[in-house]
């Protein structure tokens, strides 16, 4: 079943482009990544999906329901972590969590305590006294405590230290194994690469690639690192060259035979050929101005 489906979803803020003709589908049980640099349109997509802003045109469906018509019932089963969470500073964490649960007419006390323990968040502290990272944790507990079947997380890890990021992703993977669908937006590619099964890359308000993380990670280019000396000047298909005294490293999408011949006539001490990481692939999609899907 499709948990999220957008059809030509478009949002303009006055004359400013938010998102343009977005077709995005997330199936039940997916851990889906939404990658793009700041300003690409991730938050706009997410806010439109939750009915927090209205699209200029196009449609969004969540759980098979039209967001414009059935927003309240959709939100009952979503956990949303906004990119910038704002809370009443005078409230204690536990009061905030109780309020959030009450708004859903749920008793989530047990789950909230477990999450606070795992994330090392003291529920008796006042929100106004918390660091940015601890406020983020409070927002995470708010999003997770009612065990929703869809988690929508907008840049969730900013402000969390590495240990807490790991704990947070452990929790997300557990929830995903138990059946929750997850939409995670990030500009940090390693996060997506580690956790997500499928991902969409968004640029300038359009989706430019959408596939399994495995497929997105595969381009014909390889990262080649050569230690020693070789004349590569006549080879085509070399990009992103980094040179030091002892070695040269580059992305290569040309003919392998020609590369090997060029290396054989040089003085090569060591050679590695690896798949490029998602960061490099991401740049590749951006540079080539990929096809809109
Ligand atoms: P991302 O989440 O990928 O960083 P956003 O969805 O926040 O991107 O922004 C997409 C585009 O829409 C940007 O050009 C941004 O300036 C614009 N935008 C976002 N929110 C607003 C707003 N409330 N008013 C005007 N323009 C906005």
């Amino acid at each position: 079943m499709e948990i999220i489906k957008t059809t030509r979803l478009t949002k303009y803020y006055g004359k400013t482009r938010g998102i343009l003709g977005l077709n995005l589908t997330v199936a039940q049980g997916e851990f889906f990544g939404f990658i793009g640099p700041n300003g690409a349109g991730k938050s706009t997509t997410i806010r439109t999906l939750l009915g927090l802003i209205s699209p200029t045109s196009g449609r969004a469906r969540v759980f098979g329901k039209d967001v414009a018509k059935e927003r309240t019932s959709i939100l009952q089963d979503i956990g949303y972590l906004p990119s910038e969470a704002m809370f009443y500073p005078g409230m204690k964490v536990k009061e905030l969590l109780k309020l959030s649960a009450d708004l859903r007419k749920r008793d989530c006390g047990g789950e909230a305590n477990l999450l606070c323990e795992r994330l090392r968040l003291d529920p008796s502290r006042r929100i106004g006294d918390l660091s940015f990272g601890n406020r983020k944790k409070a927002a995470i507990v708010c999003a997770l405590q009612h065990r929703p079947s869809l988690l929508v997380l907008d840049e969730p890890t900013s402000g969390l230290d590495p240990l807490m990021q790991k704990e947070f992703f452990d929790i997300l993977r557990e929830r995903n194994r138990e059946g929750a669908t997850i939409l995670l937006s990030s500009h940090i590619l390693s996060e997506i690469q580690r956790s997500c099964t499928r991902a969409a890359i968004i640029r300038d308000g359009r989706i430019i690639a959408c596939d399994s993380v495995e497929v997105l990670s595969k381009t014909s280019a390889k990262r080649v690192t050569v230690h020693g000396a070789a004349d590569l000047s006549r080879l085509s298909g070399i990009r992103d060259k980094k040179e030091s005294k002892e070695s040269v490293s580059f992305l290569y999408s040309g003919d392998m035979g020609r590369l090997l011949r060029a290396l054989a006539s040089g003085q090569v001490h060591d050679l590695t050929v690896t798949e490029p990481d998602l960061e490099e692939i991401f740049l590749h999609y951006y540079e080539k101005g990929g096809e809109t899907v």
Side-chain angles (χ1 to χ4, degrees), residues 13 16-18 37-44 47:
Y13 299 94
T16 309
R17 176 277 302 158
N38 291 331
K42 302 182 296 295
S43 297
T44 301
R47 289 193 199 115

Side-chain angles (χ1 to χ4, degrees), residues 106-167:
R106 299 274 291 274
D107 175 9
C108 313
E111 189 65 30
N113 284 339
L114 275 176
L115 288 165
C116 284
E117 254 171 54
R118 286 186 71 172
L119 294 170
R120 312 232 167 101
L121 174 65
D122 179 354
S124 62
R125 300 272 304 273
R126 250 175 235 292
I127 308 269
D129 299 335
L130 296 180
S131 65
F132 177 71
N134 278 327
R135 279 207 300 279
K136 193 89 186 187
K137 290 180 192 174
I140 290 172
V141 180
C142 273
L144 295 176
Q145 64 173 351
H146 57 294
R147 302 194 71 87
S149 66
L150 172 62
L151 283 165
V152 179
L153 311 164
D154 197 355
E155 301 272 355
T157 52
S158 57
L160 292 186
D161 64 50
L163 209 63
M164 282 304 115
Q165 288 191 18
K166 185 182 173 304
E167 188 64 36

Side-chain angles (χ1 to χ4, degrees), residues 29-33 176 192 195-199 211-215:
E30 275 194 303
F31 199 141
F32 192 92
N176 184 236
I192 304 269
S195 306
C196 299
T197 39
R198 225 156 59 86
D211 218 316
S212 69
V213 169
E214 204 185 336
V215 169

Side-chain angles (χ1 to χ4, degrees), residues 261-279:
R261 282 192 290 279
L263 294 176
S265 62
Q267 292 283 320
V268 175
H269 314 304
D270 198 4
L271 169 72
T272 55
V273 180
T274 56
E275 294 291 337
D277 62 23
L278 207 50
E279 194 86 37

